[in-house]
Coordinates of all heavy atoms in Angstrom, one line a residue:
M1 N 0.9 -1.2 0.0 CA 0.0 0.0 0.0 C 0.9 1.2 0.0 O 1.8 1.3 0.8 CB -0.9 0.0 1.2 CG -1.8 1.2 1.3 SD -2.9 1.2 2.7 CE -3.9 -0.2 2.3
T2 N 0.6 2.2 -0.9 CA 1.4 3.4 -0.9 C 0.9 4.4 0.0 O -0.3 4.4 0.5 CB 1.4 4.0 -2.4 OG1 0.1 4.4 -2.7 CG2 1.9 2.9 -3.4
D3 N 1.7 5.4 0.2 CA 1.3 6.6 1.1 C 0.1 7.3 0.5 O -0.8 7.7 1.3 CB 2.5 7.5 1.2 CG 2.2 8.6 2.2 OD1 1.7 8.4 3.3 OD2 2.5 9.8 1.9
F4 N 0.0 7.3 -0.8 CA -1.1 8.0 -1.4 C -2.5 7.3 -1.2 O -3.5 7.9 -1.3 CB -0.9 8.2 -2.9 CG 0.2 9.1 -3.2 CD1 1.4 8.7 -3.7 CD2 0.1 10.5 -3.0 CE1 2.5 9.5 -3.9 CE2 1.2 11.4 -3.2 CZ 2.3 10.9 -3.7
A5 N -2.4 6.0 -0.8 CA -3.7 5.3 -0.6 C -4.3 5.7 0.8 O -5.5 5.6 1.0 CB -3.4 3.8 -0.6
V6 N -3.5 6.2 1.7 CA -4.0 6.5 3.0 C -3.9 8.0 3.3 O -4.5 8.5 4.3 CB -3.2 5.7 4.1 CG1 -3.5 4.2 4.0 CG2 -1.7 6.0 4.1
R7 N -3.1 8.7 2.6 CA -2.9 10.2 2.9 C -3.6 11.0 1.8 O -3.4 10.8 0.6 CB -1.4 10.5 2.9 CG -1.1 11.9 3.2 CD 0.4 12.1 3.2 NE 0.7 13.4 3.7 CZ 1.0 14.5 3.0 NH1 1.0 14.4 1.7 NH2 1.3 15.6 3.6
P8 N -4.5 11.9 2.2 CA -5.1 12.8 1.2 C -4.0 13.6 0.5 O -3.0 13.9 1.1 CB -6.0 13.7 2.1 CG -6.2 13.0 3.4 CD -4.9 12.2 3.6
A9 N -4.3 14.0 -0.7 CA -3.4 14.9 -1.4 C -3.3 16.2 -0.6 O -4.2 16.8 -0.3 CB -3.9 15.1 -2.8
A10 N -2.0 16.6 -0.4 CA -1.8 17.8 0.3 C -2.1 19.0 -0.6 O -1.9 19.0 -1.8 CB -0.4 17.9 0.8
Y11 N -2.6 20.1 0.0 CA -2.7 21.3 -0.7 C -1.4 21.9 -1.1 O -0.4 21.7 -0.3 CB -3.4 22.4 0.1 CG -4.9 22.3 0.3 CD1 -5.5 22.1 1.5 CD2 -5.7 22.4 -0.8 CE1 -6.8 22.1 1.7 CE2 -7.1 22.3 -0.7 CZ -7.6 22.2 0.5 OH -9.0 22.1 0.7
D12 N -1.2 22.4 -2.2 CA 0.0 23.2 -2.5 C -0.2 24.6 -1.8 O -1.3 25.0 -1.5 CB 0.4 23.2 -3.9 CG -0.5 24.0 -4.8 OD1 -1.2 25.0 -4.3 OD2 -0.6 23.7 -6.0
L13 N 0.9 25.3 -1.7 CA 0.9 26.5 -0.9 C -0.1 27.5 -1.6 O -0.8 28.2 -0.9 CB 2.3 27.1 -0.9 CG 2.4 28.4 -0.1 CD1 1.9 28.3 1.3 CD2 3.9 28.9 -0.1
R14 N -0.1 27.6 -2.9 CA -1.1 28.5 -3.6 C -2.5 28.3 -3.2 O -3.3 29.2 -3.0 CB -0.9 28.4 -5.1 CG 0.5 28.9 -5.6 CD 0.6 28.6 -7.0 NE 0.5 27.2 -7.2 CZ 1.2 26.4 -8.0 NH1 2.1 27.0 -8.8 NH2 1.0 25.2 -8.1
M15 N -2.9 27.0 -3.1 CA -4.3 26.7 -2.7 C -4.6 27.1 -1.3 O -5.6 27.6 -1.0 CB -4.6 25.2 -2.9 CG -4.6 24.8 -4.3 SD -5.0 23.0 -4.5 CE -6.8 23.0 -4.1
I16 N -3.6 26.9 -0.4 CA -3.8 27.3 1.0 C -4.0 28.8 1.1 O -4.8 29.3 1.8 CB -2.6 26.8 1.9 CG1 -2.5 25.3 2.0 CG2 -2.7 27.4 3.3 CD1 -3.7 24.7 2.8
L17 N -3.1 29.5 0.4 CA -3.2 31.0 0.5 C -4.5 31.5 -0.2 O -5.0 32.6 0.2 CB -2.0 31.6 -0.2 CG -0.7 31.3 0.5 CD1 0.5 31.9 -0.3 CD2 -0.7 31.8 2.0
A18 N -5.1 30.8 -1.1 CA -6.3 31.2 -1.8 C -7.6 30.9 -1.1 O -8.6 31.4 -1.4 CB -6.3 30.7 -3.2
L19 N -7.5 30.0 -0.1 CA -8.8 29.6 0.5 C -9.4 30.7 1.3 O -8.7 31.4 2.0 CB -8.5 28.4 1.5 CG -8.3 27.0 0.9 CD1 -7.8 26.1 2.0 CD2 -9.5 26.5 0.2
P20 N -10.7 30.9 1.2 CA -11.3 31.9 2.1 C -11.4 31.3 3.5 O -11.5 30.1 3.7 CB -12.7 32.0 1.5 CG -13.0 30.7 0.8 CD -11.6 30.2 0.3
L21 N -11.2 32.2 4.5 CA -11.2 31.7 5.9 C -12.5 32.0 6.6 O -13.1 33.1 6.3 CB -10.1 32.4 6.6 CG -8.7 32.2 6.1 CD1 -7.7 33.0 6.8 CD2 -8.3 30.7 6.2
P22 N -13.0 31.2 7.4 CA -12.5 29.8 7.7 C -12.8 28.9 6.6 O -13.7 29.1 5.8 CB -13.2 29.4 9.0 CG -14.5 30.2 9.0 CD -14.2 31.4 8.2
A23 N -12.0 27.8 6.5 CA -12.2 26.8 5.4 C -12.1 25.4 6.0 O -11.4 25.1 6.9 CB -11.0 27.0 4.4
H24 N -12.9 24.5 5.4 CA -12.9 23.1 5.8 C -11.7 22.4 5.2 O -11.4 22.6 4.0 CB -14.1 22.4 5.3 CG -15.4 22.7 6.0 ND1 -15.8 22.0 7.1 CD2 -16.3 23.7 5.7 CE1 -17.0 22.6 7.5 NE2 -17.3 23.6 6.6
V25 N -10.9 21.7 6.0 CA -9.7 21.0 5.5 C -9.6 19.7 6.3 O -10.4 19.4 7.2 CB -8.4 21.8 5.7 CG1 -8.4 23.0 4.8 CG2 -8.2 22.1 7.2
V26 N -8.7 18.8 6.0 CA -8.3 17.7 6.9 C -6.8 18.1 7.4 O -6.0 18.6 6.6 CB -8.4 16.3 6.3 CG1 -9.8 16.0 6.1 CG2 -7.6 16.2 5.0
A27 N -6.5 17.7 8.6 CA -5.2 18.0 9.2 C -4.6 16.8 9.8 O -5.3 16.0 10.5 CB -5.4 19.1 10.3
L28 N -3.4 16.6 9.6 CA -2.7 15.4 10.1 C -2.2 15.8 11.5 O -1.3 16.6 11.7 CB -1.4 15.1 9.3 CG -0.7 13.8 9.7 CD1 -1.5 12.6 9.7 CD2 0.5 13.6 8.8
V29 N -2.9 15.3 12.5 CA -2.7 15.6 14.0 C -2.4 14.3 14.7 O -3.3 13.4 14.6 CB -3.8 16.3 14.6 CG1 -3.6 16.6 16.1 CG2 -4.2 17.6 13.8
D30 N -1.3 14.1 15.3 CA -0.9 12.9 16.0 C -1.0 11.7 15.1 O -1.6 10.7 15.5 CB -1.7 12.8 17.3 CG -1.5 13.9 18.3 OD1 -0.4 14.4 18.3 OD2 -2.5 14.2 19.0
D31 N -0.6 11.8 13.9 CA -0.6 10.7 12.9 C -2.0 10.2 12.5 O -2.1 9.1 12.0 CB 0.2 9.5 13.4 CG 1.7 9.8 13.6 OD1 2.2 10.6 12.7 OD2 2.3 9.3 14.5
V32 N -3.0 11.1 12.7 CA -4.4 10.8 12.3 C -4.9 12.0 11.5 O -4.7 13.1 11.9 CB -5.3 10.5 13.5 CG1 -6.7 10.3 13.1 CG2 -4.7 9.3 14.3
W33 N -5.6 11.7 10.4 CA -6.2 12.7 9.6 C -7.5 13.1 10.3 O -8.4 12.2 10.4 CB -6.4 12.3 8.2 CG -5.1 12.3 7.4 CD1 -4.4 11.2 7.2 CD2 -4.4 13.4 6.9 NE1 -3.2 11.5 6.5 CE2 -3.2 12.9 6.3 CE3 -4.7 14.7 6.8 CZ2 -2.3 13.7 5.7 CZ3 -3.7 15.6 6.2 CH2 -2.6 15.0 5.6
Q34 N -7.7 14.4 10.7 CA -8.8 14.9 11.4 C -9.5 15.9 10.5 O -8.9 16.8 10.0 CB -8.4 15.6 12.7 CG -7.7 14.7 13.7 CD -8.6 13.9 14.5 OE1 -9.8 14.0 14.4 NE2 -8.0 13.0 15.3
P35 N -10.9 15.9 10.4 CA -11.6 17.0 9.8 C -11.3 18.3 10.7 O -11.2 18.2 11.9 CB -13.0 16.6 9.9 CG -13.0 15.2 10.1 CD -11.8 14.8 10.8
A36 N -11.0 19.4 10.0 CA -10.7 20.6 10.8 C -11.1 21.8 10.0 O -11.5 21.8 8.9 CB -9.1 20.6 10.9
W37 N -11.0 22.9 10.7 CA -11.2 24.3 10.2 C -9.9 24.9 10.1 O -9.1 25.0 11.0 CB -12.1 25.1 11.1 CG -13.5 24.8 11.1 CD1 -14.2 24.0 12.0 CD2 -14.5 25.2 10.1 NE1 -15.5 24.0 11.6 CE2 -15.7 24.7 10.5 CE3 -14.4 26.0 9.0 CZ2 -16.9 24.9 9.8 CZ3 -15.6 26.3 8.3 CH2 -16.8 25.7 8.6
L38 N -9.6 25.5 8.9 CA -8.4 26.3 8.8 C -8.8 27.7 9.2 O -9.7 28.3 8.6 CB -7.9 26.3 7.3 CG -6.8 27.3 7.0 CD1 -5.6 27.0 7.7 CD2 -6.6 27.3 5.5
I39 N -8.2 28.2 10.3 CA -8.6 29.5 10.9 C -7.8 30.6 10.3 O -8.3 31.7 10.0 CB -8.5 29.5 12.4 CG1 -9.3 28.3 13.0 CG2 -8.9 30.8 13.0 CD1 -10.8 28.4 12.7
S40 N -6.5 30.4 10.2 CA -5.6 31.4 9.7 C -4.3 30.8 9.1 O -4.0 29.6 9.4 CB -5.2 32.5 10.8 OG -4.4 31.9 11.7
R41 N -3.6 31.6 8.4 CA -2.3 31.2 7.9 C -1.2 32.2 8.4 O -1.5 33.4 8.4 CB -2.3 31.3 6.4 CG -3.3 30.3 5.8 CD -3.6 30.7 4.3 NE -4.3 32.0 4.3 CZ -5.5 32.2 3.8 NH1 -6.2 31.2 3.3 NH2 -6.0 33.4 3.7
L42 N -0.1 31.7 8.9 CA 0.9 32.5 9.5 C 2.2 32.3 8.8 O 2.6 31.2 8.6 CB 1.0 32.2 11.0 CG -0.3 32.1 11.8 CD1 -0.1 31.3 13.1 CD2 -0.7 33.5 12.1
H43 N 2.9 33.4 8.5 CA 4.2 33.3 7.8 C 5.3 33.4 8.9 O 5.3 34.4 9.6 CB 4.4 34.3 6.7 CG 5.6 34.1 5.9 ND1 6.7 34.8 6.1 CD2 5.8 33.2 4.9 CE1 7.7 34.3 5.3 NE2 7.1 33.3 4.5
H44 N 6.2 32.5 8.9 CA 7.3 32.5 9.9 C 8.6 32.4 9.0 O 8.5 32.1 7.8 CB 7.2 31.2 10.8 CG 6.1 31.3 11.7 ND1 6.1 31.9 12.9 CD2 4.8 30.7 11.6 CE1 4.9 31.8 13.5 NE2 4.1 31.1 12.8
A45 N 9.7 32.5 9.7 CA 11.0 32.4 9.0 C 11.2 31.0 8.4 O 11.8 30.9 7.3 CB 12.1 32.7 10.0
D46 N 10.6 30.0 8.9 CA 10.7 28.6 8.4 C 9.6 28.3 7.4 O 9.6 27.2 6.8 CB 10.6 27.6 9.5 CG 11.8 27.7 10.5 OD1 12.8 28.2 10.1 OD2 11.6 27.3 11.7
G47 N 8.7 29.2 7.1 CA 7.7 29.0 6.1 C 6.3 29.3 6.6 O 6.1 29.9 7.6
W48 N 5.3 28.7 5.9 CA 3.9 29.0 6.3 C 3.4 28.0 7.3 O 3.7 26.8 7.2 CB 3.0 28.9 5.1 CG 3.2 30.1 4.2 CD1 4.1 30.3 3.2 CD2 2.5 31.4 4.3 NE1 4.0 31.6 2.6 CE2 3.0 32.2 3.3 CE3 1.5 31.8 5.2 CZ2 2.5 33.5 3.2 CZ3 1.0 33.1 5.0 CH2 1.6 34.0 4.0
M49 N 2.7 28.5 8.3 CA 2.0 27.6 9.3 C 0.5 27.9 9.2 O 0.1 28.9 8.8 CB 2.5 27.9 10.7 CG 4.0 27.7 11.0 SD 4.4 26.0 11.0 CE 3.8 25.5 12.6
A50 N -0.2 26.9 9.6 CA -1.7 27.0 9.6 C -2.2 26.9 11.0 O -1.7 26.1 11.8 CB -2.3 25.8 8.8
L51 N -3.2 27.7 11.3 CA -3.9 27.6 12.6 C -5.2 26.9 12.3 O -6.0 27.3 11.5 CB -4.2 29.0 13.2 CG -4.8 29.0 14.6 CD1 -3.9 28.4 15.6 CD2 -5.2 30.4 14.9
V52 N -5.3 25.7 12.9 CA -6.5 24.9 12.7 C -7.2 24.5 14.0 O -6.6 24.5 15.1 CB -6.1 23.6 11.9 CG1 -5.5 23.8 10.6 CG2 -5.2 22.7 12.8
Q53 N -8.5 24.3 13.8 CA -9.3 23.9 15.0 C -10.0 22.5 14.6 O -10.5 22.4 13.5 CB -10.4 24.9 15.3 CG -11.2 24.5 16.5 CD -12.2 25.6 16.9 OE1 -12.7 26.3 16.0 NE2 -12.4 25.8 18.2
Y54 N -9.9 21.6 15.5 CA -10.5 20.3 15.2 C -11.1 19.7 16.5 O -10.9 20.2 17.6 CB -9.5 19.3 14.7 CG -8.4 19.0 15.6 CD1 -8.4 17.8 16.4 CD2 -7.3 19.8 15.8 CE1 -7.4 17.5 17.3 CE2 -6.3 19.5 16.7 CZ -6.3 18.3 17.4 OH -5.4 18.0 18.3
T55 N -11.9 18.7 16.4 CA -12.5 18.0 17.6 C -11.8 16.7 17.9 O -11.6 15.9 17.0 CB -14.0 17.7 17.3 OG1 -14.7 18.9 17.0 CG2 -14.7 17.1 18.5
A56 N -11.2 16.6 19.1 CA -10.5 15.5 19.5 C -11.4 14.3 19.8 O -12.6 14.5 19.8 CB -9.6 15.8 20.7
A57 N -10.8 13.1 19.9 CA -11.6 11.9 20.2 C -12.4 12.0 21.4 O -13.5 11.4 21.5 CB -10.6 10.7 20.3
D58 N -12.0 12.8 22.4 CA -12.8 12.9 23.6 C -13.8 14.0 23.5 O -14.5 14.3 24.5 CB -11.9 13.2 24.8 CG -11.0 14.4 24.7 OD1 -11.2 15.2 23.7 OD2 -10.1 14.7 25.5
G59 N -14.0 14.6 22.4 CA -15.0 15.6 22.2 C -14.6 17.1 22.4 O -15.4 18.0 22.1
L60 N -13.4 17.3 22.9 CA -12.9 18.6 23.1 C -12.5 19.3 21.8 O -11.9 18.7 20.9 CB -11.7 18.6 24.0 CG -11.9 18.2 25.5 CD1 -10.6 18.2 26.2 CD2 -12.9 19.2 26.1
E61 N -12.8 20.6 21.6 CA -12.3 21.3 20.5 C -10.9 21.9 20.8 O -10.7 22.5 21.8 CB -13.3 22.5 20.2 CG -14.6 22.0 19.6 CD -15.5 23.2 19.1 OE1 -15.1 24.3 19.4 OE2 -16.5 22.9 18.5
L62 N -10.0 21.6 19.9 CA -8.6 21.9 20.1 C -8.2 22.8 19.0 O -8.6 22.7 17.8 CB -7.7 20.7 20.2 CG -8.1 19.7 21.3 CD1 -7.2 18.5 21.2 CD2 -7.9 20.3 22.7
T63 N -7.2 23.7 19.3 CA -6.6 24.6 18.3 C -5.1 24.4 18.3 O -4.6 24.4 19.4 CB -7.0 26.1 18.5 OG1 -8.4 26.2 18.6 CG2 -6.5 27.0 17.5
C64 N -4.5 24.3 17.1 CA -3.1 24.1 17.1 C -2.5 24.7 15.8 O -3.3 25.0 14.9 CB -2.7 22.6 17.2 SG -3.2 21.6 15.8
R65 N -1.2 24.9 15.8 CA -0.5 25.4 14.6 C 0.2 24.2 14.0 O 0.8 23.4 14.7 CB 0.5 26.4 15.0 CG -0.1 27.7 15.3 CD 1.0 28.8 15.5 NE 0.3 30.1 15.7 CZ 0.2 30.7 16.9 NH1 0.7 30.1 17.9 NH2 -0.4 31.9 16.9
L66 N 0.0 24.1 12.7 CA 0.7 23.0 11.9 C 1.3 23.5 10.6 O 0.8 24.5 10.1 CB -0.4 22.0 11.4 CG -1.2 21.2 12.5 CD1 -2.4 20.5 11.8 CD2 -0.3 20.3 13.3
P67 N 2.4 22.9 10.2 CA 2.9 23.3 8.9 C 1.8 23.0 7.8 O 1.1 22.1 7.9 CB 4.1 22.3 8.7 CG 4.4 21.7 10.0 CD 3.1 21.8 10.8
V68 N 1.8 23.8 6.8 CA 0.8 23.7 5.8 C 0.9 22.4 5.0 O -0.2 21.9 4.5 CB 0.7 24.9 4.8 CG1 0.3 26.1 5.5 CG2 2.0 25.0 4.1
D69 N 2.0 21.7 5.0 CA 2.1 20.4 4.3 C 1.4 19.3 5.1 O 1.3 18.2 4.6 CB 3.6 20.1 4.0 CG 4.4 19.9 5.2 OD1 4.0 20.1 6.4 OD2 5.6 19.5 5.0
R70 N 0.9 19.6 6.2 CA 0.1 18.6 7.0 C -1.4 18.9 6.8 O -2.2 18.4 7.6 CB 0.5 18.6 8.5 CG 1.9 18.1 8.6 CD 2.5 18.1 10.0 NE 1.6 17.4 11.0 CZ 1.8 17.5 12.3 NH1 2.8 18.1 12.7 NH2 1.0 16.8 13.1
L71 N -1.8 19.6 5.8 CA -3.2 19.9 5.5 C -3.5 19.2 4.2 O -2.7 19.0 3.3 CB -3.5 21.3 5.3 CG -3.2 22.2 6.6 CD1 -3.6 23.6 6.2 CD2 -4.0 21.7 7.8
G72 N -4.8 18.8 4.0 CA -5.3 18.2 2.8 C -6.7 18.7 2.5 O -7.3 19.2 3.4
P73 N -7.2 18.5 1.3 CA -8.5 18.9 1.0 C -9.6 18.0 1.7 O -9.3 16.8 1.9 CB -8.6 18.7 -0.5 CG -7.6 17.7 -0.8 CD -6.5 17.8 0.2
R74 N -10.6 18.6 2.2 CA -11.7 17.9 2.8 C -12.6 17.3 1.7 O -13.2 18.1 1.0 CB -12.4 18.7 3.8 CG -13.4 18.0 4.6 CD -13.8 18.7 5.8 NE -14.8 17.9 6.6 CZ -15.4 18.3 7.7 NH1 -15.1 19.5 8.1 NH2 -16.2 17.6 8.3
G75 N -12.7 16.0 1.6 CA -13.4 15.4 0.5 C -14.7 15.0 1.0 O -15.7 14.9 0.6

């Protein structure tokens, strides 16, 4: 099984920057793809980061910063 069979196609940077906010995405959090909201995009010296909000397995809504390469389209 290839990585592409289990990992959604990642957005390229142009797509992330073009999304209206907030936007539905999937985010790779703790090695699990979670449905999430893209809240903002932040530019740092190391590149672009995404601020996302998702619902954890215990029902809590969590917000975290992730590199944009850990986002994919919500299908």
Side-chain angles (χ1 to χ4, degrees):
M1 179 178 295
T2 67
D3 186 44
F4 292 108
V6 293
R7 181 179 192 258
Y11 280 122
D12 67 27
L13 181 58
R14 291 173 302 221
M15 289 182 75
I16 294 291
L17 296 177
L19 285 172
L21 299 176
H24 288 271
V25 295
V26 290
L28 184 60
V29 180
D30 297 328
D31 295 325
V32 176
W33 287 100
Q34 301 278 353
W37 284 101
L38 173 63
I39 305 299
S40 72
R41 299 162 294 241
L42 309 160
H43 189 260
H44 295 274
D46 295 334
W48 287 91
M49 297 290 285
L51 182 64
V52 297
Q53 184 177 32
Y54 66 97
T55 303
D58 58 6
L60 292 175
E61 288 186 354
L62 302 174
T63 303
C64 67
R65 288 189 174 101
L66 298 171
V68 294
D69 63 357
R70 292 176 56 187
L71 299 180
R74 186 160 181 186

